[in-house]
Amino acid sequence: MAVTARLGAVVACVVLAAVAVAPRPAAGILDPVDFLALQAVRRSLDDMPGSEFFDGWDFTADPCGFPGVFCDGDRVAALALGDPRAGSPGLTGRLDPALGRLSALTELSLVPGRVEGELPASLASCSNLRFLAVSKNLLSGPIPDGFSALSNLRTLDVSFNQISGTIPPSIAALPSITNLILCHNQLTGGVPSFPDSSPLLRLDLKHNALSGGVPTLPAGLQYLSLSANKLTGTVDQVLPRLTRLNFLDLSMNQLEGPIPASVFSLPLSMLQLQRNFFAGPVQPSNDVTIPMVDLSYNRFWGQLSPLLAGVGQLYLNNNRFTGEVPARLVQELVGSGGLQVLYLQHNFLTGIEISPSSSLPSTVSLCLMYNCMVPPVYAPCPIKAGSQNTRPADQCPEWRG
């Protein structure tokens, strides 16, 4: 009986402490620890001008009825901070470490705004957390190592912030992670290695300062974006096992070597490999039906493949392709087929079978400038293609004018 009385006294003290900071007792039955945590969150954040999100946070009422607060029984299960409507102003302030005391939390999101400071390391205590998305704010500092304890975490999105440091290897080892979105930050170091058993579907690390090579990635990956980093090395051993990719962007790195033919058979919506040091011939084994393929600003060489005629937008400019443009590419372009954009400028191509009197459909774009031929038809090119129609003859030993 004495033990029961002491426990009752402790609970009573916690409840009294919770209501002491509010003008009147809360009407709901929210767990006292969660009640105090929400009050700390409120003190650390404010509405930006034009936002009225916190107008509905009146602690004399049941917090489970607050905007963005979702409860399961007497515990906070999800917290969506800020007005989610498109164009609404976000919040300012910092994320309070008290968030880690919401031990039943499964989802935490923050609308775009001007919230700064570091990601609270205390969130590692939210062992049930499945979804953490705080993109497009001013958050800085590292990704806490303690996040390795979040064994149920499926989505981590801290994109468009100022997060720095390296990506903790323990993040890649999370057993439930399916979406890892860390793009547009200031991350350094290498791309972490993922175990073969990883359920990862989306990996977006673009626009950071990552270096080193591209490691072996989970075979079930569907979305891969590593563009605008400082990655080096080859990918011909990495890409063939990623047979489920529907989006691939490795552009604006320092990657080199060949591109395996199997890449062109993937069910991709977009293939972006531009502005690297990739080299070798481009030889798909089947008709390519990817809507957009950008291989520009590399060191690809050899003849153009007619199997690329099924692409919608094809950017092959600023490479070292030679020979004549395949007739099938011309037919798809002039005949208003699926090919809408064909950029071939700044190569070493020697001819194209197209009548000078041909009139290109207004819906297509063709650029042939600065090759080893005189363009037989006029077609406006991008300004950055320059003003020279033809390469100097001494750069075209196989062309006699």
Side-chain angles (χ1 to χ4, degrees), residues 33-79:
V33 174
D34 286 16
F35 186 95
L36 290 172
L38 288 179
Q39 287 190 321
V41 170
R42 174 64 187 91
R43 287 193 296 268
S44 67
L45 294 170
D46 282 304
D47 285 304
M48 288 179 61
S51 174
E52 300 177 349
F53 176 73
F54 281 124
D55 287 357
W57 281 43
D58 178 2
F59 283 93
T60 64
D62 180 7
C64 291
F66 291 0
V69 177
F70 304 90
C71 296
D72 183 5
D74 64 343
R75 305 302 307 277
V76 176
L79 190 57

Side-chain angles (χ1 to χ4, degrees), residues 170-237:
S170 56
I171 294 296
L174 288 172
S176 301
I177 195 73
T178 56
N179 299 288
L180 186 57
I181 307 170
L182 311 179
C183 59
H184 290 271
N185 279 291
Q186 300 169 11
L187 294 166
T188 55
V191 178
S193 296
F194 293 80
D196 288 339
S197 59
S198 173
L200 191 68
L201 299 177
R202 182 185 182 101
L203 180 61
D204 192 345
L205 305 179
K206 64 178 175 283
H207 287 272
N208 279 287
L210 300 172
S211 57
V214 180
T216 301
L217 297 168
L221 198 63
Q222 297 179 8
Y223 182 106
L224 176 61
S225 181
L226 302 176
S227 69
N229 280 286
K230 302 176 182 178
L231 300 175
T232 56
T234 62
V235 296
D236 56 321
Q237 300 300 313

